[in-house]
């Protein structure tokens, strides 16, 4: 038996991109660290807990330009890129947090993912499993009737699948986020799916 539910998300994860380019790798790294701290501090003042801000990616890469005289590409500087994942259960303030990050030096918002907290996942998994089990029983009863036998008690039950698909918004740009109009985010429901296998006795 299987079931599919839709539920309102209760958690948002905002992926903040900070990119800096300088002549040396150290200069790029130091400037990136400074902007990152400024973004972190501003978000914490706005109510985000320190544990809910996580650096999920950091890289430094050389920048090349082609020298027509020498006939080859040469390093002209370095770019440091850092992505911060900002988690919050204040979904109504997601747009505000985006504006705060950008206003304090972030280059762009890569995406905003709306999902479920562990507590909500546990609650919805229980409901999804109950509905899947009910469907399994209904299918078994229909088969038993068509075969001319009576359905007995359940001999075994096993979970064969559970998962959900978060709602992800992409395509945020600094030019848009820096307008006087506040950023608005409209999360959509997430889909939850569950599947169970039930073995029934027959009489």
């Amino acid at each position: 038996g299987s079931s599919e539910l839709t539920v309102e998300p209760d958690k948002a994860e905002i992926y903040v991109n900070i990119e800096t380019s300088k002549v040396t790798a150290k200069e790029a790294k130091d400037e990136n660290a400074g902007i990152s701290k400024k973004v972190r501090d501003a978000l914490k003042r706005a109510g985000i807990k320190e544990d809910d801000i996580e650096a999920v990616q950091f890289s430094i890469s050389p920048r090349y330009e082609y020298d027509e005289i020498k006939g080859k590409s040469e390093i002209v500087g370095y770019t440091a890129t850092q992505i911060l994942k900002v988690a919050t259960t204040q979904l109504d303030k997601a747009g505000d947090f985006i504006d705060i990050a950008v206003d304090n030096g972030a280059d762009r918002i890569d995406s905003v993912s709306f999902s479920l907290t562990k507590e909500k996942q546990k609650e919805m998994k229980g409901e999804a499993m109950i509905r899947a089990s009910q469907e399994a029983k209904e299918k078994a009863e229909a088969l038993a009737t068509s075969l001319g036998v009576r359905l007995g008690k359940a001999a075994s039950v096993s979970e064969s699948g559970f998962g959900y698909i978060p709602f992800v918004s992409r395509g945020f740009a600094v030019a848009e986020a820096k307008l006087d109009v506040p950023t608005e985010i409209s999360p959509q429901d997430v889909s939850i799916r569950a599947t169970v296998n039930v073995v029934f006795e027959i009489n």
Side-chain angles (χ1 to χ4, degrees):
S2 61
S3 65
E4 182 172 351
L5 312 176
T6 56
V7 61
E8 291 183 358
D10 65 344
K11 178 181 178 181
E13 292 178 342
I14 305 167
Y15 290 82
V16 180
N17 190 302
I18 301 167
E19 190 173 285
T20 52
S21 296
K22 289 293 180 181
V23 175
T24 68
K26 184 180 185 305
E27 288 174 332
K29 174 185 70 67
D30 290 347
E31 181 172 298
N32 196 288
I35 295 174
S36 174
K37 184 178 186 306
K38 186 179 178 182
V39 170
R40 285 173 176 268
D41 290 345
L43 287 170
K44 285 188 285 186
R45 288 194 298 270
I48 298 291
K49 298 178 181 178
E50 185 170 357
D51 291 344
D52 290 332
I53 305 175
E54 177 186 359
V56 294
Q57 182 178 323
F58 182 81
S59 64
I60 299 177
S61 57
R63 292 184 296 111
Y64 293 90
E65 284 187 6
Y66 184 76
D67 189 318
E68 294 184 358
I69 297 176
K70 295 181 180 180
K72 63 178 181 179
S73 295
E74 293 188 336
I75 295 176
V76 295
Y78 293 84
T79 297
T81 302
Q82 182 170 190
I83 297 177
L84 301 178
K85 181 177 74 172
V86 181
T88 180
T89 55
Q90 303 178 72
L91 271 62
D92 59 327
K93 293 186 177 181
D96 294 338
F97 296 142
I98 289 174
D99 292 338
I100 289 169
V102 172
D103 289 344
N104 283 274
D107 291 273
R108 66 177 182 270
I109 305 300
D110 286 347
S111 65
V112 181
S113 174
F114 291 95
S115 55
L116 306 177
T117 59
K118 290 182 179 179
E119 294 76 16
K120 192 67 171 285
Q121 285 187 50
K122 184 177 180 181
E123 175 190 345
M124 299 312 301
K125 179 177 181 179
E127 183 175 341
M129 289 297 175
I130 289 173
R131 294 193 184 188
S133 298
Q134 291 172 341
E135 185 186 75
K137 184 177 181 180
E138 290 172 0
K139 287 182 177 179
E141 288 174 338
L143 286 169
T145 299
S146 67
L147 294 172
V149 297
R150 289 187 295 111
L151 195 67
K153 64 181 180 179
S156 67
V157 182
S158 62
E159 172 190 337
S160 61
F162 172 78
Y164 74 96
I165 303 173
F167 172 71
V168 181
S169 294
R170 301 183 187 276
F172 297 90
V174 172
E176 296 172 351
K178 284 189 174 179
L179 294 175
D180 291 336
V181 179
T183 301
E184 293 186 4
I185 304 295
S186 300
Q188 295 184 8
D189 292 349
V190 298
S191 298
I192 297 174
R193 298 182 178 90
T195 305
V196 298
N197 292 322
V198 186
V199 176
F200 290 94
E201 294 177 353
I202 56 174
N203 300 317

